Amino acid sequence: MQKTIQKFDFLVVGGGIFGITAVIELAKRKYRAALINPDSIPHHLAASTDVTKAVRMEYGSDTSYFKMAEICVQRWKDWNDLFNTKLYHEVGFLMLCKSHLNSEHQHFEKHSYDNLIQNGYRAQRLNREDLKKQFPGINSLAFEDACYNPDAGYAESGLTVEVLKRYARSLGVSVCEGQTLKEMVINSGKVQGIKTKEGTTFYCDHAIIAAGSSTPYVIPELSPYMKSTGHPVFWVKPENPMHFNASRFPVFTVDISNSGWYGFPFLPKHGIIKFAKHAAGTVIHPDKDDRHVGQENIRDLRTMLQYAFPELKDAPLVNTRLCLYTDTLDGHFWIDNHPDIKGLSVSTGGSGHAFKMAPLLGELTADMAEGKSHPFSKRFRWRHLTSDSLQAEEARCVTDRRL
Ligand SMILES: Cc1cc2nc3c(=O)[nH]c(=O)nc-3n(C[C@H](O)[C@H](O)[C@H](O)COP(=O)(O)OP(=O)(O)OC[C@H]3O[C@@H](n4cnc5c(N)ncnc54)[C@H](O)[C@@H]3O)c2cc1C
C-alpha cells in the first residue's frame, strides 16, 4: 500500500556528496527539505563512499577549478573545526614527472606548478636528489622532475558523508534511508513529487536528482551527455610502512596525464596504501554490471609499483573495487534546472574529480534551484555535448582528450 509523506519544499534524491551538501544548504536557507537514498547513507556502492579522495588545487591551466579548489581547501579546514573531526588531512600533493617539467608531456604538471607559484603558494620543484632524500619510498631514478605542494592533501570521504548526514539531521532535514526513487509524479509539466520502489510517495515543490551514476538512467534525456564509467581502486598492505607514512609520502600522481596513476599515503586506520587510476575507465551499468577488478588491471598496478615504488612491488593486494564516475563528455559537473520540466533539477556529473569541491557544491546547487547564478556555475549548466566534446580535466589520462 502506497504510504504518503508530508509535503516538502525540496526533495533531494541521492545521499552522496552532491545530494547531502545540497540538502544541508537548502535547510540552512530555511526550506523544508528531505533526502532519500536506498539502504543507508553513506551507501556502500556510492562513489563518495571511500577512505580517501584527493584535495588538490593542481588543475593544470584551468584557473576556474584552481580557484574553486583554493576556496575548498580553506573550507575543508573550517569543516574540521566545525565538526571537531579530522575530515581533511593536509599531507601535501606530489606530482611525479617522467620527463622534464617543460616538456610537452608534462603540460598538466607544468601549468599546475605555475598556477601555484603565481598565486603565492609554497610549491617546490624537486630534482632526483631532492626526491630521493625527501621521499625515500619513491624510485627517484624513474622520474626526471617533480613538484611538491604542502597546501593540499586528502579527505576521508565516507566519514565526511557520515558526519554531514548527522549535521543535516541536526538542521531538521528528513533523511530517509531505505528509499529508492522509482518514478517522478509530474502534472502539466511540473514535478509534484516522487514515488519510491519501497512504496512511499513524497510530495514536494521541487525535486533535485543527485543520484550519481544512476542519474542518466533516472533522467534519460541526460544519457547522450553523460555515462557511468568504472575505475579500479586498489588497497595494498605494505610489509613495512615506514617510507609510506604521510610525513614521507603525500598524496601523489605518477605522471598522471600519461598513465592515470595516483595514490595516497599509508592509512594507519586501515593498514593500507590506496592506488587508483584516473583514466578512461570502462562503461558499466550501475545496477546491472559486474564491478569486479580484472587481472589486467592488477598486472597494470604491479608494473607501476615495480618502477615507481619498488618496495611495494610484491605487497599483498587486500582489496579492489570498481568505483563509478558520473562522466560528462566534457568532464565538467552538471548542475542545472531541467529545461522542460518545472520543479526538477540535476546536481551530478562529478567526472572523477568533484569530491574535493564538497564545500562549494551545496551553494552551487541551491543557487541554481533558486534560479540564481553563482560565480562558478556557468560551465555546469545544461549543455549540448557530442562525442567530439573534449575532456577538460587536464590530469585525466584519456586519448585525444575524448572519452
Ligand atoms: C575511483 C574514484 C576515485 C575518485 N577520486 C577522487 C579524488 O581523489 N578527488 C575528488 O575530488 N573526487 C574524486 N572522485 C570523484 C568523486 O568521488 C565523485 O565526483 C563524487 O563522489 C560523486 O558524488 P555523487 O553524489 O554524484 O555520487 P555518489 O556518491 O555515487 O552518490 C549518489 C547517491 O545516489 C544514490 N542513488 C542512486 N540511485 C538512486 C535512486 N534511484 N533513488 C535514490 N537514491 C539513489 C546512491 O545510493 C548514492 O548514495 C573519485 C571517484 C571515483 C569513482
Side-chain angles (χ1 to χ4, degrees), residues 75-87:
R75 290 189 181 181
W76 276 106
K77 294 179 200 172
D78 300 342
W79 275 2
N80 281 0
D81 298 339
L82 175 66
F83 300 120
N84 193 21
T85 306
K86 199 155 193 189
L87 303 176

Side-chain angles (χ1 to χ4, degrees), residues 3 189 399:
K3 203 170 84 182
T399 316

Side-chain angles (χ1 to χ4, degrees), residues 129-181:
E129 270 324 292
D130 305 329
L131 206 51
K132 190 170 178 194
K133 232 181 298 151
Q134 243 172 288
F135 305 110
I138 297 169
N139 172 18
S140 57
L141 298 176
F143 304 103
E144 188 172 338
D145 225 323
C147 305
Y148 174 66
N149 166 26
D151 300 304
Y154 68 87
E156 292 195 44
S157 47
L159 176 64
T160 299
V161 174
E162 185 67 50
V163 166
L164 291 178
K165 177 177 78 175
R166 284 201 294 273
Y167 184 49
R169 282 204 166 114
S170 75
L171 295 171
V173 172
S174 297
V175 178
C176 308
E177 297 171 284
Q179 295 289 339
T180 314
L181 170 85

Side-chain angles (χ1 to χ4, degrees), residues 13-19 36-38 40-43 45-50 52-56 59 179-182 197 210-214 218 229 231-233 262 264 274 276-277 323-326 333 347-357:
V13 175
I17 204 63
F18 277 81
I36 68 164
N37 202 93
S40 60
I41 298 171
H43 191 277
L45 292 175
S48 304
T49 309
D50 203 333
T52 59
K53 301 284 180 183
V55 176
R56 56 167 161 113
Y59 264 94
Q179 295 289 339
T180 314
L181 170 85
K182 186 172 84 178
K197 289 180 184 163
S213 54
S214 298
V218 171
T229 55
H231 301 264
V233 174
Y262 67 102
F264 300 85
K274 172 185 158 183
K277 260 193 118 167
C323 174
L324 304 190
Y325 290 6
T326 313
F333 313 152
S347 185
T348 192
S351 303
H353 67 108
F355 199 91
K356 66 179 73 59
M357 305 299 183

Side-chain angles (χ1 to χ4, degrees), residues 103-269:
S103 95
E104 58 175 337
H105 305 297
Q106 312 297 166
H107 173 93
F108 163 69
E109 291 83 0
K110 166 77 172 120
H111 289 277
S112 296
Y113 178 71
D114 290 349
N115 255 336
L116 289 165
I117 297 297
Q118 279 152 22
N119 287 278
Y121 286 95
R122 306 169 286 165
Q124 304 151 22
R125 193 155 164 207
L126 308 172
N127 60 28
R128 286 201 169 110
E129 270 324 292
D130 305 329
L131 206 51
K132 190 170 178 194
K133 232 181 298 151
Q134 243 172 288
F135 305 110
I138 297 169
N139 172 18
S140 57
L141 298 176
F143 304 103
E144 188 172 338
D145 225 323
C147 305
Y148 174 66
N149 166 26
D151 300 304
Y154 68 87
E156 292 195 44
S157 47
L159 176 64
T160 299
V161 174
E162 185 67 50
V163 166
L164 291 178
K165 177 177 78 175
R166 284 201 294 273
Y167 184 49
R169 282 204 166 114
S170 75
L171 295 171
V173 172
S174 297
V175 178
C176 308
E177 297 171 284
Q179 295 289 339
T180 314
L181 170 85
K182 186 172 84 178
E183 59 184 294
M184 281 178 273
V185 182
I186 298 173
N187 289 339
S188 344
K190 179 165 184 340
V191 164
Q192 308 295 329
I194 66 117
K195 290 185 177 173
T196 68
K197 289 180 184 163
E198 294 78 11
T200 306
T201 301
F202 291 79
Y203 287 102
C204 61
D205 289 331
H206 199 129
I208 299 177
I209 309 299
S213 54
S214 298
T215 305
Y217 300 92
V218 171
I219 303 183
E221 48 271 39
L222 284 172
S223 52
Y225 308 133
M226 60 179 75
K227 48 189 167 181
S228 162
T229 55
H231 301 264
V233 174
F234 309 86
W235 290 10
V236 302
K237 191 172 185 53
E239 199 178 323
N240 175 357
M242 185 172 68
H243 289 158
F244 303 100
N245 290 317
S247 57
R248 319 238 26 217
F249 196 69
V251 180
F252 60 86
T253 55
V254 182
D255 209 40
I256 191 168
S257 60
N258 304 307
S259 80
W261 285 110
Y262 67 102
F264 300 85
F266 177 70
L267 301 173
K269 238 190 236 178

